[in-house]
Amino acid sequence: MAVHRLTLDDARRIAVHAQHLDEPRPTDLVETVERLTMLQIDPTAAIAPSADLVLWSRLGNTYRPEHLTRAVEHERTLHETVAYVRPARDVPTVIAEWVGREFHPAIIEWLEANEQFRRDILARLIAEGPLLSRDIPDTSAVPWPSSGWTNNRNVTKMLESMARRGQIAVSGRKGRQRYWDLAERVYGDGFELPTHEEATSLRNERRLESLGIARATGPELPGEQAYVGAAGEPAEVEGVPGAWRVHPAYLGVPSTFTGRAALLSPFDQLIHNRVRAEQLWGYEYILEMYKPKEKRRWGYFALPILHHDRLVGKLDAQGDRKAGRLLVNAVHEDVRFTQRVRRDVDREIASLAEWLGLELVTP
């Protein structure tokens, strides 16, 4: 198969288009998540929860958080899995891909030692579900050992382990707390898993559909992967060493690309793989919420700024709902903003404040 030779501009425009960050904006929530394949759930809401920011940056001010809740909890067109919201059609492949891909071997031993605990949870959900984790007794024989915050959080650890394996599912939320129920009550009847190999191949195709251009392989980490195996077609990017895979449906995008300004969540898939962001855009980003204030360069929860096919800066802002304000601390320019870039970015910041229902306060 011939290798596609792309300029850096080509690669960037393919990636931006694949993530629904060009013009025209998408208009349908479920179709947007279908394209993105998932929304990462993170409790940090310095401005707004990440999943909502990702959808707002695509759909604009017509999007409301209650639309996502309705799709997940009532229409069941989307499902919450552990740490993500995903299209309903992707859930079987996500579960099947997880099987045999456990990153922490110790958990297999822990699950075997707590088989009766797992059965107790299933029995409780059959009789009483859906239930919050606080309503499920801890009957574990062996506590979960951890040096971190999950130490001895046995019920949550077991629930999440069972959900990853398709035995139970998240059926809804009460604030930040999740309701758990039997998988068939949430996902419906006829829920069949492909083989691990089939799932991996399908998931690679879906990842490339979402990313547009990606590496075939790389360091595997817990969570969503950024690599696409043999999906798509081989490509080279001018000035960037190494091989890439590109989605063939997007090869014509560079000639028709129309860009816009966008403010991105730190967990947005356009920039979430920091190595890819540096290689394709020369963009450096670190989420600094865990750093002491005096050591932050860009802010507690700085939003990456996209302008057309360039990542141009970071927005340091904070939503103060009690005061009814969106406080802009700084707009960090990675490159000097032209008048057009400044105008477009300012307009997007004002749109963010309007969407949040907050007064915009600038330095």
Side-chain angles (χ1 to χ4, degrees), residues 213-218 226-229 240-245 276 279:
I213 183 168
R215 298 290 193 183
T217 60
Y227 312 109
V228 299
V240 183
W244 296 80
R245 305 295 296 184
R276 177 175 177 266
Q279 290 175 339

Side-chain angles (χ1 to χ4, degrees), residues 319-359:
D320 185 344
R321 296 195 174 274
K322 288 185 178 180
R325 305 186 307 170
L326 176 66
L327 176 62
V328 173
N329 299 310
V331 177
H332 300 283
E333 300 180 13
D334 287 15
V335 296
R336 184 178 292 276
F337 286 8
T338 64
Q339 287 186 346
R340 180 185 180 187
V341 171
R342 170 61 64 183
R343 182 194 67 225
D344 291 349
V345 171
D346 285 349
R347 184 182 296 129
E348 199 67 9
I349 295 171
S351 180
L352 175 62
E354 180 184 357
W355 174 64
L356 294 169
L358 302 176
E359 177 190 1

Side-chain angles (χ1 to χ4, degrees), residues 110 114 117 138 140 142-158 160:
W110 183 78
N114 284 295
F117 180 25
D138 181 356
S140 60
V142 177
W144 172 249
S146 171
S147 58
W149 69 274
T150 62
N151 184 57
N152 209 33
R153 293 174 61 90
N154 303 311
V155 173
T156 296
K157 193 68 179 179
M158 181 59 79
E160 291 185 345

Side-chain angles (χ1 to χ4, degrees), residues 89-165:
R89 71 181 176 105
D90 284 344
V91 172
T93 54
V94 169
I95 292 170
E97 188 186 31
W98 181 267
V99 176
R101 189 174 157 269
E102 179 57 64
F103 285 97
H104 301 291
I107 198 171
I108 303 299
E109 185 177 332
W110 183 78
L111 290 172
E112 290 175 351
N114 284 295
E115 173 60 17
Q116 186 57 52
F117 180 25
R118 185 187 72 85
R119 293 174 185 243
D120 291 345
I121 289 176
L122 281 176
R124 177 80 57 161
L125 292 178
I126 289 170
E128 302 177 26
L131 295 172
L132 299 170
S133 59
R134 69 187 184 195
D135 299 323
I136 299 174
D138 181 356
T139 62
S140 60
V142 177
W144 172 249
S146 171
S147 58
W149 69 274
T150 62
N151 184 57
N152 209 33
R153 293 174 61 90
N154 303 311
V155 173
T156 296
K157 193 68 179 179
M158 181 59 79
L159 288 168
E160 291 185 345
S161 297
M162 294 170 70
R164 285 192 175 100
R165 290 157 178 79

